[in-house]
Amino acid sequence: MTMASQPLIVSTGMGEMTVVAAETNGGKSTFALNIVNHVLTQGHGVALFTIEMDRHEIIDLLVAMNCEVNRNSFNTGRFTENERKRMTVHFPRLTRLPLFIDDRAAPTAANIAERMRALAGQIKLAVVDYAQIVAPFDLRENREQQVAGIARCLRQAAMECKLPL
């Protein structure tokens, strides 16, 4: 792995924003989902704003992680007897996890911030996967300015809600 392909993590602390950056297929979404899963299994709520995956794919991945089921089994529908047993045992607990998924096709930073504020008492973490596809405020600005505006809005919401983002 070259230095350029390793994830870059920039953390500014609780109530603020952490950015994870890497090349395409660098594992950013998988990394984020592992963090989401850990926070959920500790009994804390999570708001996941995803443009990368839809809610069904996220649920499949979380079930696969928690039930030790081969992820490809969801694509084929062919589960082993042991996989079926593990899902039967663990699925009731998984359905109670406080996960809020917003998989709108083109959310704005304002939409995400509004939802974070509405869920602030129920969640301990908010995740946006991924911020570069969030609809910009002003299409006339260059891309760098658009992404900076999105980041400022999301960081402000995280600070107000005292949530890691």
Side-chain angles (χ1 to χ4, degrees):
M1 184 179 278
T2 65
M3 183 63 98
S5 65
Q6 293 179 346
L8 169 66
I9 302 169
V10 180
S11 179
T12 54
M14 182 61 129
E16 295 186 18
M17 183 169 63
T18 300
V19 177
V20 178
E23 293 178 0
T24 302
N25 293 322
K28 300 174 297 292
S29 294
T30 301
F31 176 72
L33 202 54
N34 275 284
I35 293 171
V36 166
N37 187 56
H38 177 75
V39 172
L40 287 169
T41 58
Q42 298 302 306
H44 304 294
V46 176
L48 176 59
F49 302 92
T50 179
I51 302 151
E52 187 72 7
M53 298 179 271
D54 69 22
R55 69 183 57 242
H56 302 291
E57 187 175 1
I58 292 163
I59 299 302
D60 288 354
L61 288 167
L62 289 172
V63 170
M65 283 180 193
N66 288 280
C67 300
E68 298 177 13
V69 172
N70 183 331
R71 173 61 181 95
N72 291 329
S73 297
F74 289 91
N75 298 333
T76 65
R78 295 186 195 120
F79 297 94
T80 67
E81 188 60 34
N82 284 335
E83 288 175 331
R84 281 191 196 95
K85 286 178 185 176
R86 285 193 300 271
M87 286 190 293
T88 301
V89 168
H90 293 287
F91 200 75
R93 177 184 58 84
L94 295 175
T95 62
R96 292 188 300 272
L97 293 177
L99 175 62
F100 303 90
I101 301 171
D102 186 332
D103 61 354
R104 281 183 258 189
T108 65
N111 296 141
I112 293 170
E114 179 182 325
R115 188 74 172 131
M116 283 172 58
R117 289 180 187 104
L119 292 170
Q122 301 172 65
I123 61 174
K124 296 288 185 188
L125 173 68
V127 174
V128 177
D129 184 27
Y130 58 98
Q132 286 184 315
I133 296 183
V134 173
F137 295 107
D138 188 347
L139 294 172
R140 296 169 296 182
E141 293 180 325
N142 69 42
R143 190 64 186 139
E144 184 179 322
Q145 292 170 323
Q146 291 173 350
V147 172
I150 291 165
R152 276 192 304 276
C153 179
L154 296 177
R155 183 174 181 268
Q156 179 64 39
M159 289 172 61
E160 287 174 21
C161 297
K162 295 181 176 57
L163 290 172
L165 171 68

